[in-house]
Amino acid sequence: MNALSPLTPGRAELTVLVAAPHGFCAGVDRAIRIVELAIERYGAPVYVRHEIVHNRYVVDALKAKGAIFVESLSQVPDGVPVVFSAHGVPKAVPEKAEARGLDYIDATCPLVSKVHRQAERANEAGRHIIFIGHAGHPEVIGTLGQLPEGAMTLVESVDDVATLTPPDPDKLAFLTQTTLSVDDTASVVAALRHRFPSIQGPRGEDICYATSNRQDAVKAIAPRCDRVIVIGAPNSSNSLRLVEVAERLGTPAHLIQRGVDIDPAWLADIATLGITAGASAPETLVREVIDAVAAHRPIAEQTIVSAEENMVFKLPRGLEPAA
C-alpha cells in the first residue's frame, strides 16, 4: 500500500454532495407495494412478469417474501396470481391472462399508462405515431404493443428522424418513453418538428417528473464535483441517463449497484464526490454507498436539493391495505 492509497488513515476530508431528489419515485414505490400486498392477500408464491423494477436488491427482497419473477406468461402456472411490472406490458399479455382465467394485477406506472392512452387516442384520430425510445426496453415493448403492428414507428436519435418515411407526413403524432434524457429527447423532438411541421405532440411532456428531477439534480451537483457515482442497475434506463448527464457536464461518472462496487481509485486525490440514485434504487443502498465511501475517506456530507417531490399514486382497487 503506497502513501497515496485511498485506504490510508488520515486522508483529507472528502466533500460528498448528495443530489436530491434521488432514488425511489412514486411509480416504483407503488409497484413494490403492489407485490407486497398481493403476497399478503393471496399468499406466496405470487408471480411477477419481468422484474417489477430494475433493481437486483429490490427483486431479491421480494423473492425472499414469496415473489417469483418470470419473463413470460407461459411460465406462470394456472391458478396463481400474476403481477405485471411497472414498465407496462403489451395489450396481448392481459388478454392471454384473461383467456387462461388468471388473476392479474397491473403495476404499470400511471405515467406510463398515460402514454398508452395517448397512443390510443392518436391512433383513433388517424395519426401514425413516432415513438421516441430505446429499442428493446420493456417500457417501449409495452407501449408499442398497445396498438396493432405498424401503427407506431420507433426512433432513437436525430439520425433516425432523417430516414423516416411515414405513410402520411401530415398525419403524425409523437410520444416518448418516460425515462429518456431530457436534452436528447428535446433534440429529437426538434428534428421531428422541423421535418414534419404538422406533427402533434402530447399536451405535457411524457418524460416523467422523477426522471426530469433526477437529471436536474445531477446538473446541480456535477459541475461542483470531481466525480459522480450513480446508484442503479445496468438495465435501468433512468440510471444510465444520470451517468450521461454528469459526463456531458465534463464530470467522470460511474454506475454501481452496491457499495462493494466502488473502486477505491475513484476516491484518490479528489476533493468533491457527487452521489445520486436512479428511480429504482432504495434509500438503503444510498446510505450503504455513502458508508462505503466513508470507509475509504473521512467525509463531509451535504444534500443539494433542486426539487421537492410529494407525488403519490393510488393502489389498484382491492389491494388497499386494511385501515
Side-chain angles (χ1 to χ4, degrees):
M1 187 180 297
N2 62 49
L4 295 179
S5 167
L7 298 175
T8 301
R11 294 274 298 178
E13 188 173 72
L14 175 65
T15 298
V16 174
L17 302 184
V18 181
H22 62 250
F24 276 2
C25 63
V28 166
D29 264 329
R30 174 180 181 270
I32 294 168
R33 191 68 181 130
I34 285 172
V35 177
E36 293 172 336
L37 290 171
I39 293 169
E40 289 179 17
R41 175 178 174 181
Y42 293 100
V46 166
Y47 281 72
V48 183
R49 185 187 178 278
H50 192 66
E51 291 184 344
I52 188 68
V53 296
H54 284 157
N55 187 275
R56 176 52 50 189
Y57 180 91
V58 171
V59 168
D60 287 345
L62 291 174
K63 282 181 180 178
K65 294 180 180 181
I68 296 176
F69 292 86
V70 297
E71 288 303 311
S72 170
L73 207 60
S74 64
Q75 297 171 270
V76 179
D78 291 335
V80 298
V82 59
V83 178
F84 301 147
S85 87
H87 306 99
V89 296
K91 272 190 173 178
V93 174
E95 290 172 356
K96 289 177 182 176
E98 289 172 3
R100 287 182 52 192
L102 295 177
D103 285 332
Y104 69 86
I105 305 163
D106 189 356
T108 301
C109 173
L111 298 180
V112 175
S113 296
K114 181 190 76 171
V115 177
H116 293 178
R117 293 192 297 270
Q118 291 170 334
E120 290 172 345
R121 287 196 293 268
N123 181 251
E124 289 167 359
R127 292 185 176 273
H128 184 81
I129 299 165
I130 309 301
F131 189 68
I132 306 168
H134 296 298
H137 189 277
E139 183 186 331
V140 173
I141 293 169
T143 303
L144 295 178
Q146 300 304 304
L147 299 179
E149 189 172 350
M152 303 176 75
T153 298
L154 178 67
V155 300
E156 298 189 77
S157 66
V158 171
D159 290 342
D160 289 344
V161 174
T163 61
L164 282 174
T165 54
D168 184 348
D170 295 321
K171 293 286 285 182
L172 294 176
F174 74 85
L175 298 169
T176 83
Q177 183 179 336
T178 64
T179 55
L180 298 177
S181 159
V182 173
D183 296 335
D184 284 350
T185 303
S187 299
V188 177
V189 169
L192 283 170
R193 292 193 184 281
H194 177 76
R195 206 173 154 212
F196 308 108
S198 62
I199 194 169
Q200 289 191 358
R203 290 180 180 176
E205 193 176 74
D206 283 339
I207 296 175
C208 83
Y209 77 96
T211 296
S212 298
N213 285 349
R214 279 147 189 73
Q215 290 179 25
D216 286 343
V218 170
K219 290 177 182 178
I221 67 166
R224 301 168 57 182
C225 296
D226 301 303
R227 193 175 299 276
V228 169
I229 288 175
V230 178
I231 305 159
N235 59 341
S236 166
S237 176
N238 77 87
S239 299
L240 292 168
R241 304 293 80 78
L242 297 179
V243 173
E244 293 172 356
V245 168
E247 290 185 336
R248 286 179 181 177
L249 292 169
T251 306
H254 307 280
L255 180 68
I256 65 171
Q257 299 193 70
R258 302 294 299 265
V260 295
D261 299 328
I262 293 173
D263 182 345
W266 298 343
L267 308 179
D269 303 316
I270 65 170
T272 306
L273 175 72
I275 293 179
T276 188
S280 302
E283 187 63 23
T284 298
L285 296 187
V286 178
R287 296 316 312 173
E288 177 185 290
V289 167
I290 292 172
D291 289 345
V293 171
H296 297 316
R297 296 267 304 268
I299 66 170
E301 180 183 340
Q302 301 176 32
T303 299
I304 308 300
V305 180
S306 60
E308 300 285 349
E309 292 181 350
N310 52 20
M311 183 78 74
V312 177
F313 293 133
K314 291 182 180 178
L315 292 165
R317 188 171 299 172
L319 266 195
E320 299 89 347

